[in-house]
Amino acid sequence: MPAFRQVGEKQLPQEVVFMAWSPKRDLIALANRAGEVLLHRLANFQRVWSLPPNENTGKEVTALAWRPDGKILAFGLNDTKRIILCDVEKPESLHSFSVDSSITYMHWMEVTEESSVLTSFYNAEDESNLLLPKLPALPKNYSTTAKIFSEEKSDEIMKLLGDVRLNALVLGGSSGFIEIYAYGMFKIATVTGVAGSCRGLCLSSDLKSLSVITEIRDSSDSEAEITYFQLDTSLLSSYLPEVTRMARKFTHISTLLQYIKLSLTCMCEAWEEILMQMDSRLTKFVQEKNTTTSVQDEFMQLLLWGKASLELQALLMNQLTVKGLKKLGQSIESSYSSIQKLVISHLQSGSEALLYHLSELKGMALWKQKYESLGLDASGIEDAITAVGSFILKANELLQVIDSSMKNFKAFFRWLYVAMLRMSEDHVLPELNKMTQKDITFVADFLTEHFNEAPELYNRKGKYFNVERVGQYLKDEDDDLVSPPNTEGNQWFNFLKNSTHLKESPLLFPYYPEKSLHFVKRQMEGVIDKCLQKPADVIGKSVHQAVCMSLYKTSQSEDSIPQLFKLPFLWNDKTSNIHYVLFTILENSISKIYILRRHTDTSRSVSNGILAVDFGNFLNNSINESSDSRCYSCLDAHFYDDETVTVVLKESVEQEGKERVLAQLPLSSVYTDEDQDREFIWDSTKRLDEQSDEIPTRTVFLENQWRVLENMKAQYVSVNGIRKVSCVLSSNLRHVRVFEMDVEDDGEVEEEEEEEATQIAAGEPDEQNQSADNQDNVCGASAEELLDETEEQESSLDP
């Protein structure tokens, strides 16, 4: 029986450019050339969901990474230079941010280092949960949130916080671009001093060092030089408890900013275009009327004498109509009350929580002994607190405008409704017919304030009136408000104006009466980003280069390989704190695998060294009789776990009938003699491939941990040692096979699979089983996909 059990196989319609197994579940994420991100389940390689490319996110996926808890998938897009964080449960973006470079690699790691301070922090209940009320769930009845939030629960935004234990998303891009994001959300380091385009990254689990593989190319047509850098990140490890606390606060703040942004988007959706109807109808009336009487006077005459001009009657009865007036009144009441609820329950709650976390961060910044070295600046945080205060003031102003507008419109529409009923000689109910002197004064004041013609407004906005005052606060533009609140006669304003000391007091938040809510929100985001940017710069400058090794030059044939499949491959052994680098060098038409290892503590030379690995003959004679002098080239290699490397091999002289092999290489068979891997003395003036003859070589004979991949031109492999699975991809990038690597754990794996099947998108109408795919009424699969699957069953799977 073969060593590994095949559990799925599929021909895919698009070429796959990247594969990544979930660290916690039997799920694999794929990115294809069309810019689509797909999630497949291990069993029969069923598709769980797919996220098609779109204009907002981007169309060219260049990197994929899972958060260590397996609940969030991150991917980078080249065309928009954005990073998207996607929920595993549903193919929608939970959070996204822009970067300055196109991303070529990303790595998401978890800190495993333990200390008493960290343990107490991990176990302590977050005080904000005790002191702050729970944020209300965002409503699902708006298109923005309906896309993101599932029906059962709408607090997915809080999923972004994840576990308390620190994890970090490391991004690498072109021109030496490297950034580290705590919890995948907030930037804590901008690393400089590395040359070339990033091909691999690995931050050690103790945060002591960052290994980087780059590709340095002098010109577009020259061969690229692959170089290994080891960077010392000891500041992060020395201040690990402080970094964790600070990063946790940053992540809370980022999550709240996203919450406020979504709340504001919902408010914009609640405001309807129908509310502008009164403004546009009145403007048209001004343009078409022949009299010199102003619109305000026309309505005043109707209010005082109960008679309207023929032109005003035509406007009211033919254009606005009684039915239209009722609809407009209902729309205004419904829209304003929805916005009011969102401001009170969501915007204010989110802002107050933001104020709390920033105040805590300021307290941390004042503890200079602990946090000054990390670049936390109290004055910058004070500016951020002030900006949040200004935003809260603007939200309160909007509430006052909504409140007064609702009262005004209610009285105005009630009076106008009765006047229009009289014009049409309809019966007016007695309760509607009663208007006190106070009501008349109220409507007269409303007409005086809101029905003034403004020619300068027509030049700006194409209308003469701004009766509706709420929408201007929700416009995302830099222009001043068309109708700012009237502060004349306000005693508090006059008092502040005349008091020079109070005007500059840090206890008072600045107020921007001329600006919209959106403008103040953007200003707040800018100040917060600026104040939290300083730690990233300070920590980034502390990172310095410890080792730089030129490995080899790439061959021209490698340029056609998708960037994401190219070796070298980096791995961090959490137990022994060692970085491993796997790469191959072509010698005499054989790709030999090399294993470089470096200790994460850059001051130590223990366990540093390099070895080359040859694969001796291990295929039995039934496969190929001439087996005496067989040599194998390594096509791809990935660490399966800390003790094993998974490799894809092919015979060096490829002939018809010669199959490719999937094998497990135990490191114990490579590192047999403790001293031998230190014998090689590196000449730093030469590349590694120029010194390959002097590197110690191990010849390994695999016993039973291999399997021949029949009818498949296998080229690449992606593995997950925690879930004990692997996925092999063919050289045409369309044919995949999935294997369970440890067959003895079969029963347990199947149980877990069934459990997950109920959790993750159970019943998705895409690929329920192989036979169902061939039915005419299959749901969710394209014609091209069905064609590929039929070919897979009828003929050989690879060209």
Side-chain angles (χ1 to χ4, degrees):
M1 182 180 172
F4 321 125
R5 192 182 73 154
Q6 183 177 321
V7 291
E9 185 164 20
K10 190 75 77 179
Q11 282 278 8
L12 300 170
Q14 294 284 348
E15 292 182 355
V16 173
V17 292
F18 195 61
M19 309 182 287
W21 283 101
S22 164
K24 297 290 183 187
R25 298 174 176 180
D26 291 342
L27 298 166
I28 187 168
L30 308 176
N32 62 28
R33 280 209 196 278
E36 196 176 16
V37 176
L38 308 126
L39 193 67
H40 283 259
R41 195 178 287 117
L42 173 69
N44 294 327
F45 210 69
Q46 292 173 345
R47 191 196 296 180
V48 178
W49 54 249
S50 70
L51 180 62
N54 66 65
E55 296 295 332
N56 297 328
T57 55
K59 298 181 178 180
E60 190 184 338
V61 180
T62 52
L64 273 180
W66 286 92
R67 194 166 76 182
D69 64 2
K71 291 178 181 175
I72 300 281
L73 175 68
F75 55 95
L77 295 139
N78 185 41
D79 46 343
T80 55
K81 294 182 182 175
R82 291 191 74 75
I83 305 299
I84 310 294
L85 302 187
C86 184
D87 184 5
V88 67
E89 305 283 347
K90 203 175 180 186
E92 290 294 342
S93 165
L94 275 181
H95 180 66
S96 68
F97 56 91
S98 296
V99 287
D100 296 331
S101 168
S102 54
I103 298 303
T104 53
Y105 195 87
M106 55 170 64
H107 164 68
W108 208 332
M109 54 72 69
E110 186 174 53
V111 175
T112 56
E113 198 74 3
E114 295 289 351
S115 73
S116 56
V117 179
L118 274 174
T119 306
S120 62
F121 175 64
Y122 292 154
N123 296 333
E125 189 173 359
D126 187 355
E127 278 188 4
S128 62
N129 293 335
L130 302 172
L131 300 171
L132 294 170
K134 190 180 177 186
L135 288 179
L138 285 158
K140 299 183 289 291
N141 50 336
Y142 299 108
S143 62
T144 310
T145 47
K147 286 179 186 173
I148 300 173
F149 304 125
S150 56
E151 290 303 314
E152 304 81 37
K153 48 192 176 181
S154 56
D155 59 347
E156 272 92 336
I157 195 72
M158 303 322 285
K159 277 187 183 178
L160 289 169
L161 287 170
D163 297 330
V164 182
R165 182 179 288 277
L166 181 63
N167 59 69
L169 175 63
V170 192
L171 307 177
S174 52
S175 308
F177 173 88
I178 298 172
E179 289 184 340
I180 303 173
Y181 286 76
Y183 299 102
M185 287 279 290
F186 215 93
K187 182 164 55 175
I188 56 164
T190 303
V191 181
T192 54
V194 174
S197 177
C198 183
R199 285 261 294 255
L201 288 165
C202 188
L203 183 60
S204 65
S205 56
D206 58 5
L207 293 184
K208 284 184 178 174
S209 85
L210 172 66
S211 280
V212 185
I213 299 285
T214 67
E215 179 182 280
I216 302 170
R217 200 184 288 267
D218 296 331
S219 61
S220 57
D221 55 348
S222 65
E223 289 183 336
E225 190 171 293
I226 303 299
T227 307
Y228 169 74
F229 293 91
Q230 187 175 9
L231 306 174
D232 185 326
T233 56
S234 51
L235 181 70
L236 286 173
S237 69
S238 306
Y239 287 89
L240 181 55
E242 290 76 22
V243 168
T244 305
R245 284 176 184 276
M246 184 176 78
R248 193 67 181 164
K249 278 289 161 219
F250 284 6
T251 312
H252 268 292
I253 290 163
S254 296
T255 306
L256 287 167
L257 285 173
Q258 177 74 346
Y259 179 83
I260 288 169
K261 181 183 172 185
L262 285 170
S263 301
L264 200 50
T265 310
C266 290
M267 285 163 58
C268 293
E269 278 194 48
W271 186 84
E272 301 168 29
E273 285 298 323
I274 191 174
L275 308 185
M276 298 294 290
Q277 210 174 72
M278 184 64 82
D279 294 345
S280 56
R281 292 267 160 85
L282 290 173
T283 299
K284 194 176 177 187
F285 177 61
V286 169
Q287 290 168 335
E288 292 177 356
K289 74 184 175 73
N290 296 319
T291 60
T292 54
T293 320
S294 70
V295 173
Q296 185 182 327
D297 290 345
E298 295 263 5
F299 275 95
M300 280 292 192
Q301 283 176 13
L302 178 62
L303 175 66
L304 296 174
W305 315 119
K307 289 184 179 179
S309 67
L310 293 173
E311 286 179 323
L312 183 60
Q313 276 192 40
L315 166 74
L316 297 176
M317 304 308 294
N318 301 336
Q319 292 186 39
L320 192 58
T321 73
V322 174
K323 190 178 177 183
L325 183 73
K326 282 181 81 174
K327 188 182 177 185
L328 184 58
Q330 287 166 356
S331 295
I332 283 180
E333 191 172 355
S334 160
S335 180
Y336 281 9
S337 57
S338 298
I339 294 169
Q340 198 173 34
K341 282 174 191 169
L342 282 164
V343 174
I344 294 167
S345 60
H346 294 77
L347 218 57
Q348 288 188 332
S349 304
S351 305
E352 283 162 12
L354 196 56
L355 213 51
Y356 170 85
H357 287 293
L358 281 167
S359 301
E360 282 222 320
L361 198 61
K362 183 187 169 188
M364 289 160 64
L366 291 171
W367 193 356
K368 295 191 175 181
Q369 181 190 354
K370 295 274 187 185
Y371 292 96
E372 193 173 37
S373 305
L374 298 174
L376 213 50
D377 177 31
S379 62
I381 298 166
E382 186 63 57
D383 292 342
I385 290 170
T386 304
V388 176
S390 297
F391 179 73
I392 292 172
L393 284 179
K394 185 54 74 172
N396 284 331
E397 182 193 307
L398 175 59
L399 281 179
Q400 290 170 8
V401 171
I402 291 172
D403 196 43
S404 64
S405 293
M406 282 175 84
K407 285 178 188 170
N408 289 339
F409 274 120
K410 204 169 187 179
F412 173 68
F413 283 141
R414 184 183 170 185
W415 160 71
L416 196 59
Y417 179 61
V418 172
M420 288 170 73
L421 284 177
R422 284 184 183 142
M423 283 179 204
S424 59
E425 299 180 352
D426 282 351
H427 173 65
V428 180
L429 295 170
E431 59 267 22
L432 290 175
N433 219 355
K434 292 174 186 174
M435 265 194 94
T436 63
Q437 187 60 40
K438 193 177 176 183
D439 292 337
I440 293 171
T441 309
F442 197 76
V443 174
D445 289 344
F446 177 72
L447 289 171
T448 306
E449 190 181 343
H450 290 73
F451 280 66
N452 271 327
E453 289 177 39
E456 72 281 356
L457 179 61
Y458 187 79
N459 298 331
R460 271 178 66 191
K461 301 288 181 183
K463 59 181 186 177
Y464 286 106
F465 301 91
N466 192 44
V467 178
E468 199 282 318
R469 299 283 169 94
V470 174
Q472 58 182 351
Y473 284 86
L474 305 176
K475 296 274 189 249
D476 192 4
E477 52 191 35
D478 294 335
D479 290 353
D480 289 351
L481 294 178
V482 173
S483 305
N486 185 10
T487 55
E488 281 180 32
N490 186 309
Q491 292 180 340
W492 173 248
F493 267 87
N494 293 337
F495 175 62
L496 280 183
K497 212 172 184 181
N498 300 325
S499 171
T500 48
H501 299 296
L502 267 179
K503 209 187 296 180
E504 295 164 7
S505 169
L507 299 173
L508 296 178
F509 297 134
Y511 173 54
Y512 304 98
E514 306 287 328
K515 297 298 180 184
S516 72
L517 184 67
H518 253 295
F519 179 88
V520 179
K521 186 211 78 164
R522 276 192 283 120
Q523 187 174 269
M524 174 184 76
E525 287 173 338
V527 175
I528 291 175
D529 281 351
K530 187 181 174 185
C531 104
L532 300 185
Q533 173 65 36
K534 194 178 175 188
D537 296 336
V538 170
I539 294 170
K541 282 172 186 168
S542 76
V543 176
H544 59 272
Q545 184 179 305
V547 175
C548 175
M549 300 177 175
S550 180
L551 300 180
Y552 60 94
K553 285 209 167 187
T554 58
S555 60
Q556 294 294 334
S557 60
E558 266 199 53
D559 291 343
S560 60
I561 300 171
Q563 175 74 24
L564 301 166
F565 286 125
K566 292 178 183 176
L567 286 170
F569 176 74
L570 288 163
W571 176 264
N572 174 51
D573 184 335
K574 300 179 183 71
T575 313
S576 54
N577 292 326
I578 290 175
H579 281 313
Y580 285 96
V581 187
L582 294 178
F583 56 95
T584 57
I585 295 177
L586 193 65
E587 297 172 28
N588 303 322
S589 74
I590 297 173
S591 282
K592 193 186 283 188
I593 185 170
Y594 287 79
I595 306 175
L596 169 66
R597 60 182 191 174
R598 302 280 312 172
H599 200 281
T600 59
D601 186 344
T602 54
S603 61
R604 296 172 58 184
S605 60
V606 180
S607 305
N608 294 342
I610 186 164
L611 276 178
V613 178
D614 265 346
F615 291 94
N617 176 32
F618 54 87
L619 294 185
N620 59 42
N621 290 339
S622 63
I623 301 281
N624 193 324
E625 293 300 327
S626 58
S627 56
D628 297 333
S629 58
R630 185 177 287 116
C631 294
Y632 299 96
S633 274
C634 179
L635 297 173
D636 199 11
H638 282 258
F639 265 86
Y640 178 74
D641 55 31
D642 288 342
E643 297 163 2
T644 316
V645 177
T646 304
V647 292
V648 176
L649 305 172
K650 71 165 184 176
E651 290 187 52
S652 54
V653 183
E654 200 158 14
Q655 297 170 1
E656 198 66 36
K658 302 232 176 164
E659 308 291 356
R660 301 194 176 188
V661 177
L662 178 68
Q664 295 282 59
L665 169 65
L667 286 185
S668 55
S669 65
V670 178
Y671 294 104
T672 51
D673 181 355
E674 283 297 317
D675 293 320
Q676 189 160 344
D677 64 322
R678 291 186 222 151
E679 287 177 8
F680 173 66
I681 298 167
W682 191 292
D683 182 350
S684 58
T685 60
K686 295 180 182 176
R687 288 196 315 271
L688 180 88
D689 56 352
E690 295 170 337
Q691 309 171 61
S692 56
D693 294 341
E694 300 162 35
I695 295 172
T697 302
R698 288 270 194 276
T699 301
V700 177
F701 296 91
L702 301 174
E703 294 175 4
N704 57 352
Q705 287 295 296
W706 53 269
R707 173 173 178 144
V708 174
L709 301 168
E710 296 167 347
N711 300 322
M712 183 181 192
K713 206 171 177 183
Q715 188 80 22
Y716 310 107
V717 68
S718 178
V719 293
N720 182 351
I722 300 167
R723 306 301 299 176
K724 299 175 180 175
V725 287
S726 70
C727 179
V728 180
L729 181 69
S730 67
S731 56
N732 72 355
L733 307 178
R734 291 189 179 201
H735 177 195
V736 293
R737 274 187 199 168
V738 188
F739 296 94
E740 284 179 346
M741 305 300 276
D742 287 4
V743 182
E744 64 268 20
D745 290 339
D746 189 19
E748 187 186 323
V749 170
E750 276 185 9
E751 270 178 39
E752 287 174 359
E753 243 174 59
E754 283 171 22
E755 197 178 304
E756 279 152 13
T758 60
Q759 290 174 3
I760 303 284
E764 283 279 336
D766 184 50
E767 296 169 49
Q768 296 299 327
N769 51 52
Q770 294 276 343
S771 60
D773 279 343
N774 292 324
Q775 301 297 321
D776 288 334
N777 63 347
V778 69
C779 181
S782 65
E784 188 179 1
E785 202 167 334
L786 288 173
L787 183 64
D788 280 324
E789 287 177 292
T790 313
E791 286 172 3
E792 171 191 336
Q793 291 160 2
E794 291 176 358
S795 62
S796 66
L797 292 161
D798 242 51

